[in-house]
C-alpha cells in the first residue's frame, strides 16, 4: 500500500469489507432458499404438488339402467322423448319383441305412437293418418328390438281424442282353433274349426304384405279408452287352446313371417314353449269343460271359484316366464260362454279384458269384458278374410 495515503487506505479497506459481507449474506440467503447452508451437500427432496382428480361425468339414466343390468344378454336401454312428458328409460332385449312400451296419457290428448326418428313423430303429430299409411314406421310390441349399440331413442307423437273417434277404427280380433294339412279338411262335427294350413299361410302373408298394424293388448285397451290412436288398418291374430296343430303347423308360419299372434292357453295342462312372436294368454286354468247345464263351466261357478281358477292360470303363465306382467290383461272365454258371475270373477282376479266368440269388431268404448271377434272357419281363404278385416 506504499504510496497510498493512510486515510484513503482506510476507506478502501472498509469498502472491500462491506462488499465481502454482502456477498456472504447473499450466499447464506441462497443456501436457505435451497434448504441447505452447505453448497456442497445434497439437495433435499421437494414435496410434489398433487394432480387434481377429475370429477367423473355422471352416468345418464340410460347408462345407469345398463350398468344395473350387465347380466342381461342383449340389453338395450330405450329412452323416450315426448313433449310434455317425462318417461324413464326402459330395459328391452335385442331381437325380442318390444315389451310394454309406455302409453302416455294426458288430459285433452291422445297418444299417437312411438317412432324411430323425430321427423316421423312430428308428421304423426301433425296428422296421425300418416302413421296409418305406413304402420311399419310406428314402433310397437309387434316389432323386434333393433339395438346394436345397446341404446335406442324413440320419439312420441300426440293427437287429439277427436282424431281417435273421427277415424272410426274397427279392430278385428281374428280367432283360429285347429289346423289341417288336408285341402279337403277334416271330418266330424268340429270340421269348421280346422283351417287349411295353406289358407292360414296365405292369410298371414296378406296381413304382412298389406302392412297391417298389429296392436298389443295394452294398446287395444288404451284405444278402447279413447287414449290411443289406432289406424283403421289394425288387426289382432289369435288362436284358442294351443292345440298341437297350432304349435307344429301354424305358429311356425308366424315366426317365419315375423308376425305377432296370441295363443290362448288352457294352463292346467301345462304352458307350452312357443316362439318369440307368440304372446301367451289365458284360456282359463281348468274351466274348459261343460257344466251341469251343458254350458261352459265358467258360467256354472260362483265368482269366487272363477277368480281362483283365473288366478291359478295367471300364476302358471308367470311361472313359465311368458305372461308376467301381462298375465291379467286378457283372457278368452271357453266356448265364448260368460255371465255376470264370470265377469265378477275376472275382476276379482285382476283381469282387465276378455274375448268372446261373438262376431264383431272392437271400437272406442267397447265393453272390455265382452270383446267380439272375427271367427275364421274352414274354407276361408284370403278373399274371404279380406272382406272381414279389410
Amino acid at each position: 500500500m506504499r504510496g497510498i495515503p493512510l486515510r484513503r487506505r482506510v476507506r478502501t479497506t472498509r469498502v472491500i469489507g462491506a462488499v465481502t459481507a454482502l456477498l456472504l449474506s447473499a450466499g447464506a440467503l441462497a443456501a436457505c432458499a435451497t434448504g441447505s447452508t452447505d453448497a456442497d451437500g445434497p439437495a433435499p427432496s421437494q414435496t410434489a404438488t398433487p394432480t387434481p382428480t377429475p370429477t367423473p361425468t355422471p352416468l345418464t339414466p340410460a347408462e345407469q339402467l345398463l350398468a344395473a343390468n350387465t347380466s342381461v344378454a342383449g340389453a338395450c336401454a330405450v329412452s323416450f322423448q315426448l313433449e310434455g312428458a317425462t318417461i324413464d328409460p326402459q330395459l328391452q332385449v335385442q331381437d325380442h319383441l318390444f315389451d310394454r312400451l309406455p302409453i302416455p296419457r294426458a288430459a285433452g290428448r291422445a297418444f299417437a305412437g312411438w317412432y324411430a326418428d323425430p321427423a316421423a313423430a312430428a308428421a304423426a303429430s301433425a296428422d296421425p293418418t300418416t302413421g296409418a299409411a305406413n304402420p311399419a314406421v310406428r314402433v310397437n310390441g309387434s316389432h323386434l328390438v333393433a339395438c346394436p349399440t345397446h341404446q335406442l331413442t324413440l320419439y312420441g307423437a300426440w293427437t287429439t281424442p277427436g282424431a281417435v273417434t273421427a277415424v272410426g277404427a274397427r279392430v278385428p280380433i281374428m280367432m283360429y282353433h285347429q289346423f289341417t294339412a288336408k285341402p279337403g279338411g277334416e271330418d266330424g262335427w268340429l270340421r269348421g274349426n280346422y283351417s287349411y294350413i295353406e289358407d292360414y299361410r296365405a292369410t298371414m302373408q296378406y296381413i304382412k304384405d298389406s302392412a297391417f298394424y298389429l296392436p298389443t293388448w295394452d294398446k287395444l285397451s288404451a284405444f278402447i279408452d279413447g287414449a290411443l290412436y289406432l289406424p283403421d288398418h289394425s288387426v289382432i291374430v289369435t288362436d284358442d287352446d294351443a292345440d298341437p296343430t297350432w304349435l307344429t303347423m301354424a305358429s311356425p308360419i308366424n315366426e317365419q313371417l315375423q308376425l305377432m299372434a296370441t295363443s290362448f292357453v288352457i294352463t292346467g295342462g301345462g304352458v307350452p314353449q312357443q316362439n318369440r312372436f307368440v304372446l301367451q294368454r289365458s284360456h282359463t286354468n281348468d274351466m274348459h269343460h261343460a257344466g251341469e247345464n251343458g254350458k261352459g263351466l265358467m258360467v256354472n261357478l260362483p265368482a269366487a271359484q272363477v277368480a281362483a281358477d283365473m288366478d291359478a292360470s295367471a300364476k302358471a303363465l308367470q311361472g313359465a316366464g311368458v305372461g308376467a306382467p301381462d298375465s291379467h290383461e286378457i283372457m278368452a272365454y271357453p266356448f265364448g260362454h260368460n255371465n255376470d258371475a264370470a265377469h265378477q270373477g275376472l275382476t276379482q282376479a285382476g283381469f282387465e279384458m276378455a274375448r268372446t266368440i261373438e262376431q264383431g269388431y272392437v271400437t272406442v268404448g267397447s265393453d272390455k269384458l265382452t270383446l267380439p271377434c272375427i271367427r275364421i272357419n274352414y274354407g276361408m281363404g284370403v278373399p274371404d278374410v279380406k272382406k272381414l278385416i279389410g
Side-chain angles (χ1 to χ4, degrees):
M1 295 289 181
R2 191 173 49 190
I4 299 175
L6 179 61
R7 187 176 298 174
R8 184 177 296 178
R9 278 186 288 166
V10 171
R11 287 201 300 270
T12 302
T13 300
R14 288 175 178 173
V15 170
I16 293 172
V19 170
T20 302
L22 286 172
L23 291 173
L24 289 173
S25 176
L29 289 173
C32 289
T34 60
S36 174
T37 58
D38 185 357
D40 296 327
S45 62
Q46 297 183 2
T47 302
T49 302
T51 303
T53 302
T55 302
T57 303
L59 295 179
T60 66
E63 290 169 338
Q64 293 177 36
L65 185 62
L66 290 173
N69 291 277
T70 55
S71 63
V72 178
C76 176
V78 181
S79 300
F80 304 95
Q81 291 191 17
L82 177 64
E83 179 266 321
T86 301
I87 304 171
D88 292 335
Q90 192 181 67
L91 188 71
Q92 298 285 343
V93 179
Q94 171 83 5
D95 290 330
H96 285 64
L97 294 180
F98 277 100
D99 184 26
R100 293 191 71 82
L101 289 172
I103 307 174
R105 299 200 182 204
R109 286 179 160 182
F111 188 54
W114 294 111
Y115 298 83
D117 66 85
S125 292
D127 179 5
T129 61
T130 58
N134 184 12
V137 304
R138 180 170 165 172
V139 179
N140 81 337
S142 68
H143 293 79
L144 291 174
V145 178
C147 185
T149 61
H150 301 289
Q151 291 196 48
L152 177 68
T153 299
L154 296 179
Y155 304 87
W158 290 116
T159 186
T160 65
V164 175
T165 55
V167 73
R170 303 186 308 159
V171 182
I173 302 176
M174 302 175 69
M175 180 182 67
Y176 286 91
H177 280 90
Q178 288 85 26
F179 300 86
T180 178
K182 300 175 183 178
E186 299 290 334
D187 297 326
W189 68 279
L190 286 177
R191 173 181 171 84
N193 273 5
Y194 283 84
S195 295
Y196 178 44
I197 192 61
E198 294 308 321
D199 284 340
Y200 182 78
R201 186 190 308 278
T203 298
M204 294 302 105
Q205 188 70 58
Y206 166 71
I207 289 173
K208 183 176 182 66
D209 293 345
S210 300
F212 275 83
Y213 184 77
L214 303 173
T216 48
W217 296 106
D218 55 335
K219 302 293 188 293
L220 187 71
S221 177
F223 163 74
I224 293 171
D225 294 340
L228 176 72
Y229 179 93
L230 285 186
D232 192 27
H233 195 58
S234 303
V235 68
I236 298 176
V237 179
T238 74
D239 176 82
D240 284 8
D241 307 336
D243 184 80
T245 58
W246 160 260
L247 297 173
T248 61
M249 298 173 66
S251 68
I253 293 172
N254 291 81
E255 183 175 29
Q256 293 162 11
L257 297 178
Q258 299 193 352
L259 204 66
M260 183 186 70
T262 294
S263 174
F264 287 113
V265 181
I266 306 166
T267 56
V271 178
Q273 182 176 355
Q274 302 200 46
N275 68 66
R276 57 184 171 163
F277 290 93
V278 177
L279 310 178
Q280 298 204 67
R281 299 296 182 262
S282 176
H283 202 27
T284 76
N285 189 61
D286 191 26
M287 291 191 289
H288 203 287
H289 311 287
E292 293 180 357
N293 61 0
K295 293 186 177 181
L297 191 61
M298 195 163 192
V299 297
N300 281 271
L301 296 176
Q305 285 184 254
V306 170
D309 181 277
M310 293 307 303
D311 186 60
S313 185
K315 288 179 179 177
L317 290 170
Q318 292 169 355
V322 298
D326 307 313
S327 300
H328 294 82
E329 65 181 4
I330 181 74
M331 63 84 63
Y333 295 113
F335 320 112
H337 297 163
N338 64 100
N339 59 11
D340 288 342
H343 302 165
Q344 292 170 16
L346 289 177
T347 301
Q348 290 174 22
F351 279 77
E352 181 186 16
M353 296 182 291
R355 199 218 65 205
T356 70
I357 62 170
E358 297 300 318
Q359 197 83 346
Y361 302 87
V362 178
T363 61
V364 174
S366 287
D367 182 352
K368 291 185 180 182
L369 291 179
T370 57
L371 299 179
C373 73
I374 298 298
R375 181 184 177 93
I376 307 298
N377 296 315
Y378 169 75
M380 294 177 65
V382 171
D384 305 291
V385 172
K386 187 174 181 180
K387 293 175 183 178
L388 292 170
I389 70 172

